[in-house]
Amino acid sequence: MDERRSKARHRVLKAGTIEFGGGAIDCTVRNLSDTGAALDVTSPVGIPEHFTLFVQVDGRHLSCIVVWRKEKRIGVKFG
């Protein structure tokens, strides 16, 4: 598979929350860069294309756009 990311991602294991429209879904941040992340989720069903990712340990809120979806993982870019 060709690497299409402009920045290298670093493997992490951090608890996160996908926040949107008054709702929230727990997730695990599996890798992270300055421009995006991969998130493990129970199911990608119902997760909108745009949402805010809250990374508890860092106290950061990141605006996300979904780039790809797999069975239990989604890839996002920040923006």
Side-chain angles (χ1 to χ4, degrees), residues 1-19:
M1 187 167 114
D2 293 334
E3 181 62 51
R4 293 178 287 182
R5 297 182 187 112
S6 60
K7 299 276 186 178
R9 290 198 178 168
H10 304 284
R11 288 184 182 182
V12 296
L13 187 62
K14 297 181 179 185
T17 305
I18 295 169
E19 301 174 340

Side-chain angles (χ1 to χ4, degrees), residues 8-68:
R9 290 198 178 168
H10 304 284
R11 288 184 182 182
V12 296
L13 187 62
K14 297 181 179 185
T17 305
I18 295 169
E19 301 174 340
F20 57 93
I25 297 173
D26 291 334
C27 68
T28 302
V29 182
R30 295 307 305 254
N31 65 47
L32 186 64
S33 76
D34 292 339
T35 59
L39 310 174
D40 280 353
V41 294
T42 303
S43 169
V45 175
I47 297 174
E49 294 298 312
H50 301 273
F51 60 83
T52 299
L53 172 64
F54 176 58
V55 183
Q56 286 99 331
V57 72
D58 299 337
R60 296 171 62 192
H61 285 86
L62 302 161
S63 178
C64 296
I65 301 165
V66 176
V67 178
W68 53 263

